Amino acid sequence: MSIRVGIVGISGFGGGEALRLIAGHPAFDLVYAAGDSSAGRPLIDRFPGVPHKLAGLVIAKWDPEALPDLDILFASLPTGTSAEALARVPDSVKIVDIGGDHRHVDGWTYGLADIWPERIRGRTRIANPGCFPVATLTALAPLLTAGLIGPGNIVIDAKTGISGAGRGGGDGRFGYAETNENLQPYGLLEHVHMPEMETTIAQLSGGSAAGLVFTPHLVPMTRGLLVTVYCRGNATTTQCLDAARGFYAGRPFVRVTDRPPQTKWASGSNLSFVSYAADPDRNLVIAMGVVDNLGKGAAGHAVQNANLICDLPETFGLEGAPIWP
Ligand SMILES: NC(=O)C1=CN([C@@H]2O[C@H](COP(=O)(O)OP(=O)(O)OC[C@H]3O[C@@H](n4cnc5c(N)ncnc54)[C@H](OP(=O)(O)O)[C@@H]3O)[C@@H](O)[C@H]2O)C=CC1
Ligand SMILES: CC(=O)N[C@@H](CCC(=O)OP(=O)(O)O)C(=O)O
């Protein structure tokens, strides 16, 4: 079976990771690559290591009115730039939007694939969750649905690799000299992922995520994302681990570990790792979540969502082991 696939934003970090995964996918055929400043360049010029079967593809100027015959389009454009153009893509073309323009937007399904795959199958417009929300929500969902923690007063302390900012993140914070051997908090009290997390926590728990605090930090590594989430709840560590093991039983991409997870465990993969430490005497639950920001945080999750909407095995193209070391 061959499913005709396009990627817009292919020269970026998210698009490049989608290219890597789709190049090895057993059912997807990349027939369209698009961008802006990279348009006109052969793919092999932008990515010298691209497989021979894709070497002839030339990056097109992104134009939703000039698409070839496509079954599915991956959109990996800067948040804020894709809504108007994606609205002009024909209905017959399924879309997975890796960017942030369609999360909790009417007509689009919020694609938390490990948590609610049944909501995604059969849909044609999927909004990938943001990278911080997916790590956080994957760790919290079993606890919220089991009532082991409350939805209020949750504190999320997050660390991300620099590639989370994309190639275009050019305000001087992301160069080698600024990031090497440096730690930077940012987005305090107002990060764009707050509303997405508040809405989904409320959906999962049936209550309000009032008092949510989220502080991301840039750390000097290329890939990887870790959240340490402090919650109020009268549960033991064993109860939290058991709840997560039950919740994710049979799900291929979530690993529940006794040990606190590390970012390298997920590198280059679509895996999420979660773990917990809880002290009922202090009414304290600590939930931890790890993903690769470009894997489960972006392109890996997008391919998983695409598999679901194309009625393929969820794991197609995503079965490789993580990169180590
Ligand atoms: N990086 C990450 O870890 C994650 C990113 N995301 C989201 O994914 C999206 C892409 O991010 P990322 O790959 O990191 O960003 P990059 O800055 O690395 O890449 C952006 C891409 O968008 C293309 N582009 C920009 N403007 C236009 C335009 N007007 N028309 C066509 N193409 C355009 C660029 O093309 P060209 O080079 O040809 O100009 C480039 O390929 C963003 O919405 C981001 O928030 C989500 C989760 C994680
Ligand atoms: C390091 C860094 O800057 N990371 C990005 C997260 C990338 C992401 O998930 O972005 P979207 O929600 O726009 O898709 C950020 O904090 O905004």
Side-chain angles (χ1 to χ4, degrees), residues 99 105 124 150 188 198 216 263:
V105 166
T124 61
L188 282 88
E198 283 168 342
T263 54

Side-chain angles (χ1 to χ4, degrees), residues 8-17 34-39 41 46 59-63 75-82 85 97-101 103 128-132 160-169 192-193 222 225 292-299:
V8 53
I10 197 158
S11 62
F13 288 163
E17 184 70 355
D36 186 30
S37 59
S38 61
R41 290 175 72 183
R46 176 66 192 81
I59 301 174
K61 189 84 173 170
W62 164 230
D63 177 357
S76 187
L77 297 167
T79 296
T81 65
S82 70
D97 186 2
I98 295 174
D101 287 343
R103 299 175 189 148
N128 241 32
C131 51
F132 293 115
T160 177
I162 311 298
S163 66
R167 288 177 60 236
V192 288
H193 287 170
T222 301
L225 187 157
D292 181 334
N293 55 288
L294 293 174
K296 178 50 52 86

